[in-house]
Amino acid sequence: MAGFAPLSEAGAAIFGASEFYLDNGLRVIVVPNHKAPIVKQMLWYKVGSVDEKPGQGGIAHLLEHLMFRGTKKVSHDKYNDVTQANGMDGNAFTSQDFTAYHQSMDISRLELAMFLEADRMLNLDLSQENFELERDIVYQERKQVVENNPAAAFNENLRRLIWGEHPYARPITGMPEEIKNLKLDDVRDFYHQYYAPNNAILVLAGDITPETAKILAEKYYGKLKAKPSPEEVDWPELKSGGATHLEMSLPRINSVRLINSWVVPAYVQEKNDIYALAVLSKYLGEGKTSKLYKRLVKNKKVALAVESSYDYGGRSYGSFSVYAIPQDGVSPQNLQKELSEELNRAINEIDDQAIEKTKLKMRSGLVLLRDNPNDAAMIVGSMAAVGMSLEEIENYEANIEAVNADMVRRMAKAWLRAENMVSGVLKPMEAKHD
Amino acid sequence: MIRRGRKNSYRVLRRLLLLMLVLYALFYAYGRWFGFNPEHILENSLLKKQNFEAEVQEVVSPRYKIKAYLYQDKTNPIVSMSFIFKGAGWSAEPSNQAGISALLEQMLLSGAGKYTEEQLVDILEDKAISISFSSGKDDFYGSVLASKENSTAAFDLLKTIFSAPRFEQPELKRAKERLFEALKQQQEQPGRVLSLAFSKELYANHPYGRNPLGSLQTLKKLQRDDLVEFMQKAFTRENLIVGVAGDITTNELAHLLDDVFSSLPENMKLGKVPSFEANFISKNKDIELTTAQNIAMFAVSGVARNDPDFYPLYVANFIFGGSGLNSRLSLAARENEGLTYSIGTSLGLDDKQPLLVGSYSATPANFDRVGQILLREWKDFAQNGATKSEVNAAKDYLIASYNLRFASIADIATILAYMQRDNLGRDFLEKRNEYVDAVKVEQVNNAAAKYFDENKLIQVNIGNFAKNFNEQEAQ
């Protein structure tokens, strides 16, 4: 085991976390928070829907469900009974890049949760009966969570347009016909390939010291055997097909939405660019003091809402989006014209003063992140999962501070280009005459 | 022969006993060292159970005698305040002003005193101060969260928002437009359409049956003066309840209360929401809408927070449909038959009509079967109640998970406000586990028999109920 990583030199560490590795490759991060005698355990696996073979859409998510169906040592009923009797609040989620399992509990029950989590990493009991039940349940989940939303078809088509051959084009749930055709043997292979200590990160956040965490991590996870590292996905090179546009009219949709999207670098590609892109998003369209809000909503009154977002946290590319709702009586074409114009203008107006102000807003709230250990586990875990070192996570403030106007302008000009933009318009079935 | 035979049989018996002993020892050792033995893990746990003393102090301001509960915590330099204006929620709006509290919720942050909306938001963002307002069914809520360093600025802003809201025309126009848009989008989601229809079915013309956002007609008419008047009537020291948590002293808080809330009028002037005479008679109604899944909502009368039946029904609900995957409903419909992704129940604690309310959703092919399971489980629970081990397991969870609610300063401040709202007593945090522990199986089963009454079960469904519906085609 390596020693504890030193805290950031700047002394402005956000979380005051420590980390160490077990011999089997499991990375462990500890975020102490002694407000109450509780703790959150999160186990992140570097596997998600991007790792699925073609036609096997939804297998990562189905496996996440099956992880609650019992192991060779602990039956499904026993698992439910023990976690309930011990007051554990647990759940799990699957994303495109990751799958995470988590429980909050009183600190005196942590070892129980660690036993159960370590046990199901390698000892899952995958029976045909449970497989069929959970396959039906995830089918119902897709119907409820995705398809009952009238905008679902638009969202999924837009993803396909943005990502083309890239696995990010596929829905995490899988398509309904894929779910119905999944096979137990394929789930088993997927489990054996990706669930291993050397493909996971354990985060413990709460009333625990790094020293105790080390003893317990070693005790419960230390004996698990490492496996050959799974091969990273062979990410297809994204070729821009020029600006593309999707327009859909869907039943039950009552108002117009407009979205502009660009594929941009994520942390794994350009470590140094993500902070400038994050500042750019905040400057352009996050909140009521952002440029696009002031211009499009307040001054020109062509939009009811506008907001931007940047996602750097994937294992492949990142994405940058601007989302807007037109003011009543403004056509989507007009709003697009205004949006493109104001976007260019805002990019040309990037200067030191505006960027310094934006950075201040991004830094000021960081102290509040120390409050809730559950949030801390989520944030630290998601950043570590893309490969950030603890130092990088803790130095977020300094990394934002290091961004200057030149860097932000360069990112905007390099990536938010009209010729790379995918735009989408979702609108009601018929034109409204009101 | 006999003796030898006896000796032999003794020997056989001894060997058999020894063998059994060895087998038992092996079995025990396996269970202890290689199997799953939760008791053993807990007994030998390095981290022991700690007594968490959530000491709550009562602070009274010197001038206006405003009372607040305080939980001091210096783990992090953060302060949070949660406040409630009791009885000032959307059900208390005059019917011709329906939606005014939703509008107020937005307008309170649209500029105050010397600050325009943009300047106000600028300060909030620069100092990472969170001030939020929310209009609920019975009450109007607000909260403040800030670092200790910026808490003075945060409370100064709150004071200005109460004493000198600007409510200017351009901001008012924008806020209304956002609500018009929200009304349109509300109709897009089947779950929200159902929820509105369900309220209408339960409450008919009582204010609880209204749309919380009001209507296009009522919103259009609202002006600046209406907002000022509503605020004057609704936000008063009489109906104010405050909870504070974090890095602040009793003395600081006492003076802060007088300062922040000094501009509020003394007495609440908003009309009282009429009482509601529940006369639920079983019905099951369908609303036809093309959706991927059908959704159901159902309810019967429940109990108020201070009713003697509260804890028994709280435990009963947990067992029946409140405990996630391990509830009776979820085990029957989801875990054992794979028919639905989610099914559950909860307690609604609204002042005028508490409810035991539930919902499920399933594709049209599974929907009726889930409905049958609900009724089967419902009747069984009413007739036979829960077992002793179910009640003990529920109590174990409710007690062992109790400390989880102290994860964030903001959550703690909210709990402190609710403790006062519902008259739970200042010692509630210390006593709560005793209240749960005292619940007896008979009480749970009496509550099940009394409240799980199928003759009073109201259910409304939305989705595809036409006989010729084809799920494959609908995809």
Side-chain angles (χ1 to χ4, degrees):
Chain A
M1 287 196 296
F4 296 123
L7 289 180
S8 78
E9 285 173 16
I14 301 178
F15 297 103
S18 312
E19 75 171 331
F20 53 89
Y21 284 84
L22 301 186
D23 287 343
N24 58 17
L26 181 72
R27 184 180 179 190
V28 186
I29 302 180
V30 189
V31 188
N33 181 322
H34 302 292
K35 182 160 62 250
I38 55 175
V39 64
K40 179 152 191 137
Q41 166 174 251
M42 276 195 107
L43 191 66
W44 292 73
Y45 290 98
K46 281 173 261 175
V47 63
S49 61
V50 294
D51 299 287
E52 294 162 347
K53 290 180 185 154
Q56 294 186 0
I59 208 165
H61 176 231
L62 175 57
L63 174 57
E64 176 226 296
H65 276 239
L66 284 163
M67 286 284 280
F68 291 84
R69 283 280 175 177
T71 67
K72 287 158 196 149
K73 277 183 195 171
V74 186
S75 70
H76 176 222
D77 291 348
K78 186 83 180 166
Y79 181 90
N80 281 344
D81 290 347
V82 168
T83 51
Q84 176 174 320
N86 287 284
M88 294 182 199
D89 271 354
N91 210 332
F93 59 84
T94 306
S95 73
Q96 289 168 321
D97 302 289
F98 309 106
T99 310
Y101 300 84
H102 55 95
Q103 309 87 29
S104 295
M105 68 228 111
D106 190 275
I107 191 73
S108 61
R109 320 296 166 108
L110 172 62
E111 289 196 40
L112 208 46
M114 292 176 87
F115 178 99
L116 293 169
E117 204 54 78
D119 177 43
R120 65 180 172 177
M121 186 186 289
L122 299 178
N123 295 320
L124 200 58
D125 185 16
L126 289 160
S127 74
Q128 184 66 28
E129 188 195 0
N130 284 337
F131 164 76
E132 284 171 16
L133 277 169
E134 286 300 340
R135 188 178 55 188
D136 290 347
I137 293 168
V138 296
Y139 177 82
Q140 292 293 329
E141 183 179 354
R142 177 174 162 94
K143 294 281 163 186
Q144 178 180 328
V145 179
V146 180
E147 293 181 33
N148 251 13
N149 177 355
F154 172 76
N155 295 337
E156 292 194 342
N157 276 298
L158 192 69
R159 288 205 75 81
R160 284 190 206 103
L161 196 60
I162 296 168
W163 296 105
E165 296 301 306
H166 193 283
Y168 281 171
R170 302 182 216 139
I172 296 162
T173 56
M175 294 306 281
E177 57 282 7
E178 285 182 303
I179 297 172
K180 288 195 159 170
N181 288 320
L182 291 174
K183 302 282 181 290
L184 175 58
D185 282 345
D186 295 327
V187 179
R188 201 174 273 133
D189 289 348
F190 198 82
Y191 172 63
H192 290 311
Q193 195 179 351
Y194 293 104
Y195 280 56
N198 48 319
N199 198 39
I201 299 166
L202 174 68
V203 183
L204 297 172
D207 193 12
I208 187 169
T209 63
E211 292 75 19
T212 307
K214 202 166 184 177
I215 295 168
L216 297 182
E218 187 61 50
K219 180 175 175 185
Y220 291 99
Y221 292 92
K223 56 192 174 224
L224 303 173
K225 292 228 166 16
K227 290 179 183 173
S229 294
E231 272 180 35
E232 185 52 294
V233 180
D234 189 10
W235 307 110
E237 187 133 333
L238 284 174
K239 297 180 203 103
S240 172
T244 32
H245 182 69
L246 171 76
E247 195 153 329
M248 281 179 95
S249 296
L250 290 173
R252 293 194 2 245
I253 289 294
N254 292 331
S255 67
V256 178
R257 281 87 138 173
L258 185 145
I259 184 163
N260 290 176
S261 265
W262 296 265
V263 174
V264 300
Y267 176 77
V268 289
Q269 282 133 359
E270 294 295 339
K271 291 182 173 47
N272 298 325
D273 289 349
I274 65 164
Y275 301 102
L277 281 161
V279 173
L280 175 64
S281 174
K282 176 84 184 165
Y283 162 80
L284 285 178
E286 292 179 30
K288 285 184 173 174
T289 60
S290 65
K291 278 275 177 185
L292 292 177
Y293 183 89
K294 283 197 266 188
R295 294 273 166 71
L296 296 169
V297 178
K298 282 187 72 180
N299 299 352
K300 290 190 168 175
K301 299 183 175 58
V302 290
L304 286 176
V306 58
E307 58 188 55
S308 60
S309 68
Y310 166 51
D311 179 9
Y312 61 82
R315 276 160 52 201
S316 183
Y317 299 94
S319 64
F320 197 106
S321 300
V322 179
Y323 170 91
I325 298 175
Q327 173 71 264
D328 215 19
V330 176
S331 72
Q333 293 79 6
N334 262 342
L335 178 59
Q336 180 63 64
K337 191 175 143 282
E338 297 284 357
L339 173 59
S340 298
E341 200 177 299
E342 289 304 334
L343 188 67
N344 283 330
R345 190 169 151 203
I347 290 170
N348 289 328
E349 284 174 1
I350 291 172
D351 61 20
D352 289 340
Q353 197 192 351
I355 295 307
E356 289 308 310
K357 208 163 161 36
T358 306
K359 280 157 52 182
L360 170 70
K361 292 178 193 296
M362 294 175 79
R363 293 188 336 252
S364 63
L366 296 174
V367 60
L368 300 178
L369 294 180
R370 285 213 175 208
D371 183 31
N372 188 338
N374 301 326
D375 295 348
M378 184 70 199
I379 297 166
V380 169
S382 62
M383 292 169 98
V386 294
M388 284 192 185
S389 68
L390 187 61
E391 198 182 355
E392 177 109 28
I393 296 169
E394 293 283 29
N395 282 342
Y396 184 79
E397 182 170 6
N399 289 327
I400 289 293
E401 188 47 43
V403 172
N404 61 39
D406 276 348
M407 294 155 82
V408 178
R409 195 180 302 113
R410 205 166 61 236
M411 282 301 110
K413 299 220 172 196
W415 296 106
L416 305 195
R417 299 158 84 108
E419 62 266 33
N420 296 336
M421 184 175 86
V422 175
S423 58
V425 170
L426 172 63
K427 53 185 194 177
M429 293 289 274
E430 313 147 317
K432 297 259 166 160
H433 303 285
D434 46 22
Chain B
M1 286 289 281
I2 293 168
R3 282 175 74 177
R4 194 188 290 170
R6 218 177 249 168
K7 211 173 170 181
N8 272 345
S9 63
Y10 277 140
R11 196 178 294 155
V12 171
L13 200 66
R14 267 213 311 271
R15 281 185 183 163
L16 205 66
L17 274 170
L18 198 67
L19 185 70
M20 280 170 67
L21 206 67
V22 170
L23 280 175
Y24 176 76
L26 281 173
F27 181 74
Y28 178 80
Y30 177 83
R32 193 170 172 98
W33 303 112
F34 301 106
F36 177 48
N37 187 335
E39 292 77 23
H40 177 72
I41 292 174
L42 287 177
E43 276 165 29
N44 294 287
S45 179
L46 211 56
L47 297 158
K48 301 294 180 202
K49 178 109 189 103
Q50 296 168 33
N51 277 332
F52 177 54
E53 309 225 334
E55 196 200 334
V56 177
Q57 304 176 70
E58 184 176 286
V59 175
V60 180
S61 72
R63 182 159 176 210
Y64 296 111
K65 309 295 174 212
I66 298 167
K67 197 178 85 177
Y69 278 2
L70 168 67
Y71 171 77
Q72 277 181 299
D73 174 84
K74 304 205 174 202
T75 320
N76 293 305
I78 296 171
V79 183
S80 180
M81 175 189 275
S82 178
F83 50 90
I84 299 174
F85 290 110
K86 195 170 186 302
W90 54 260
S91 65
E93 296 165 344
S95 59
N96 60 349
Q97 294 190 334
I100 192 168
S101 53
L103 188 63
L104 193 57
E105 188 184 299
Q106 301 206 25
M107 289 305 292
L108 286 169
L109 288 170
S110 72
K114 61 182 175 183
Y115 305 118
T116 63
E117 179 181 49
E118 195 180 322
Q119 288 164 336
L120 178 67
V121 176
D122 222 22
I123 299 172
L124 295 175
E125 288 183 350
D126 286 354
K127 296 186 184 293
I129 295 167
S130 155
I131 298 182
S132 68
F133 299 98
S134 157
S135 151
K137 193 184 272 182
D138 290 317
D139 309 314
F140 197 94
Y141 315 96
S143 68
V144 178
L145 176 69
S147 66
K148 185 174 174 59
E149 187 189 353
N150 290 324
S151 62
T152 308
F155 290 114
D156 277 350
L157 283 177
L158 185 62
K159 178 187 175 179
T160 312
I161 288 169
F162 283 135
S163 59
R166 287 169 74 140
F167 298 153
E168 280 171 28
Q169 195 50 38
E171 281 72 26
L172 184 62
K173 185 165 178 285
R174 271 204 303 280
K176 282 187 189 179
E177 285 163 354
R178 277 196 295 270
L179 285 172
F180 298 156
E181 175 69 16
L183 280 168
K184 278 199 230 166
Q185 293 202 10
Q186 204 176 40
Q187 292 301 315
E188 294 179 347
Q189 303 293 337
R192 292 167 76 184
V193 174
L194 173 62
S195 166
L196 290 171
F198 189 60
S199 294
K200 203 85 210 150
E201 196 60 43
L202 287 178
Y203 302 117
N205 293 324
H206 186 273
Y208 274 16
R210 283 183 199 157
N211 189 330
L213 302 181
S215 70
L216 213 58
Q217 293 73 25
T218 54
L219 286 171
K220 270 184 178 161
K221 284 190 228 141
L222 294 172
Q223 296 305 327
R224 184 186 189 281
D225 290 349
D226 300 319
L227 291 173
V228 173
E229 191 193 337
F230 185 85
M231 228 179 127
Q232 285 285 320
K233 287 180 173 172
F235 295 3
T236 70
R237 291 202 293 274
E238 185 185 351
N239 64 333
L240 171 68
I241 297 164
V242 186
V244 175
D247 193 353
I248 185 170
T249 65
T250 50
N251 192 36
E252 284 166 342
L253 177 57
H255 289 95
L256 185 81
L257 291 169
D258 270 343
D259 191 38
V260 170
F261 301 109
S262 59
S263 68
L264 300 188
E266 183 65 41
N267 296 314
M268 159 92 162
K269 299 248 172 59
L270 211 58
K272 292 262 180 292
V273 178
S275 60
F276 178 73
E277 299 301 323
N279 185 22
F280 295 157
I281 298 166
S282 170
K283 70 173 107 169
N284 198 320
K285 185 179 165 183
D286 293 336
I287 301 169
E288 194 70 34
L289 186 78
T290 306
T291 55
Q293 251 194 351
N294 297 356
I295 314 173
M297 285 185 78
F298 54 91
V300 287
S301 276
V303 297
R305 185 63 183 82
N306 268 319
D307 191 289
D309 280 347
F310 173 77
Y311 282 104
L313 189 63
Y314 181 56
V315 174
N317 170 65
F318 183 84
I319 294 166
F320 183 75
S323 59
L325 300 188
N326 221 21
S327 73
R328 282 195 176 191
L329 277 185
S330 194
L331 284 175
R334 174 179 155 141
E335 298 294 278
N336 295 341
E337 295 199 28
L339 297 166
T340 175
Y341 172 60
S342 67
I343 180 166
T345 57
S346 60
L347 299 184
L349 296 173
D350 302 327
D351 286 344
K352 305 298 169 191
Q353 179 55 57
L355 295 174
L356 170 68
V357 58
S359 72
Y360 58 86
S361 61
T363 47
N366 291 356
F367 190 73
D368 286 350
R369 173 72 191 136
V370 181
Q372 287 160 6
I373 289 172
L374 167 67
L375 273 186
R376 183 192 76 201
E377 295 295 323
W378 186 276
K379 287 183 203 171
D380 178 70
F381 198 58
Q383 276 170 18
N384 305 315
T387 64
K388 193 167 185 351
S389 68
E390 280 179 307
V391 171
N392 286 339
K395 283 160 57 174
D396 283 347
Y397 170 83
L398 294 169
I399 291 170
S401 64
Y402 183 62
N403 284 343
L404 297 181
R405 66 187 64 192
F406 303 111
S408 91
I409 284 296
D411 289 349
I412 298 173
T414 304
I415 293 170
L416 297 183
Y418 271 95
M419 278 161 56
Q420 298 167 83
R421 187 203 184 281
D422 295 330
N423 298 315
L424 303 180
R426 189 157 64 88
D427 59 355
F428 173 72
L429 299 181
E430 292 156 42
K431 294 276 180 66
R432 184 269 189 186
N433 280 349
E434 291 172 26
Y435 300 147
V436 173
D437 200 36
V439 174
K440 306 260 184 311
V441 184
E442 302 77 57
Q443 292 175 298
V444 173
N445 293 346
N446 288 341
K450 186 170 166 187
Y451 297 99
F452 284 70
D453 183 347
E454 62 168 311
N455 298 316
K456 295 185 175 168
L457 184 61
I458 310 267
Q459 178 163 342
V460 181
N461 315 298
I462 195 164
N464 320 275
F465 304 102
K467 290 242 172 345
N468 58 358
F469 176 76
N470 184 324
E471 194 180 318
Q472 294 303 320
E473 283 173 20
Q475 277 179 17

